[in-house]
C-alpha cells in the first residue's frame, strides 16, 4: 500500500489550502483506493527548540517524524503570508529536517501547491518553500507549478473543489507524485 502524506499550510477554518488537500484526498480515494492519505496536523507541533530536539523532542514531534518516514511522498498546499510560507509550516519543516542529513524528509518526494483567496494564488511562497525543502533533503516532485487563485470564489463541496480546471491540475500533480514516490527508506 502506498502512503501519500497530505499537509495544509493553513490553520484557518474554511481554508482554501485545506480545500486543496480535501480535493487531493478525494482524487486519491476515487482513483487509487490502495493509497492511504493521512494528514499532518501542524497545530500539534511546538515551536522548534533545539534544546528539546537534543533530548528526542516531544511526543508530537516523534509522531510527526514517524508519519513522514512512513510516507512514500508528501503533498503540501500552502498560502503565502507576506510573500513566504506561513510560520506554522516552516516550523513543522524545521522539526522534520532534523537530524541534519538523515531527517524524515531526506530523499522523500514532496509536491507543492500554492493557493489563496486572492489572484496571486500564493505563488510567491513557492521559491522559499522549495528552498527549505531542498535544504532539508526532500526531492521536489517534477511538475509544472500548480497555483490556485481566487479559491473562495471557486465551486466546491464538502470534499473540496469541483471546478474541472482545478481538479484536472490536481489530478496531474497527484499522478506526478505517484510516479516519483520512493520505496520506504526506513
Amino acid at each position: 500500500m502506498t502512503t501519500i502524506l497530505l499537509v495544509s499550510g493553513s490553520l484557518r477554518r474554511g481554508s482554501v489550502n485545506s480545500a486543496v488537500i480535501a480535493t487531493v484526498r478525494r482524487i486519491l480515494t476515487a482513483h487509487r483506493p490502495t493509497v492511504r492519505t493521512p494528514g499532518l496536523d501542524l497545530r500539534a507541533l511546538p515551536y522548534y527548540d533545539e534544546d528539546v530536539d537534543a533530548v528526542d523532542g516531544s511526543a508530537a514531534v516523534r509522531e510527526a517524524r514517524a508519519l513522514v518516514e512512513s510516507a512514500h511522498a508528501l503533498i503540501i498546499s500552502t498560502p503565502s503570508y507576506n510573500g513566504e510560507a506561513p510560520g506554522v509550516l516552516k516550523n513543522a519543516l524545521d522539526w522534520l529536517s532534523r537530524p541534519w542529513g538523515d531527517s524524515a524528509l531526506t530523499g522523500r518526494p514532496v509536491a507543492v501547491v500554492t493557493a489563496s483567496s486572492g489572484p496571486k494564488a500564493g505563488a510567491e511562497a513557492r521559491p522559499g518553500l522549495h528552498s527549505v525543502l531542498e535544504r532539508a533533503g526532500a526531492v521536489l516532485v517534477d511538475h509544472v507549478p500548480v497555483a490556485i487563485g481566487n479559491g473562495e470564489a471557486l465551486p466546491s463541496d464538502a470534499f473540496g473543489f469541483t471546478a474541472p480546471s482545478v481538479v484536472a491540475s490536481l489530478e496531474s500533480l497527484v499522478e506526478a507524485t505517484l510516479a516519483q514516490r520512493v520505496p520506504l527508506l526506513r
Side-chain angles (χ1 to χ4, degrees), residues 42-118:
L42 302 182
R43 285 182 174 92
L45 298 173
Y47 294 123
Y48 182 76
D49 181 336
E50 194 169 357
D51 292 333
V52 173
D53 198 18
V55 292
D56 201 24
S58 69
V61 170
R62 288 189 299 277
E63 289 171 17
R65 287 176 174 161
L67 194 56
V68 172
E69 289 172 350
S70 71
H72 296 89
L74 288 76
I75 297 177
I76 297 172
S77 184
T78 187
S80 169
Y81 294 170
N82 298 311
E84 297 291 338
V88 68
L89 178 57
K90 173 66 168 62
N91 181 62
L93 295 174
D94 287 342
W95 279 113
L96 296 171
S97 70
R98 305 296 196 272
W100 184 255
D102 189 32
S103 74
L105 291 168
T106 301
R108 195 85 51 216
V110 180
V112 173
V113 179
T114 62
S116 76
S117 56

Side-chain angles (χ1 to χ4, degrees), residues 160-171:
F161 292 111
T162 57
S165 62
V166 171
V167 172
S169 292
L170 293 174
E171 284 174 336

Side-chain angles (χ1 to χ4, degrees), residues 13-29:
R13 223 179 339 209
S15 157
V16 172
N17 289 277
S18 294
V20 167
I21 293 302
T23 307
V24 168
R25 182 172 279 121
R26 183 183 66 223
I27 290 166
L28 284 164
T29 302

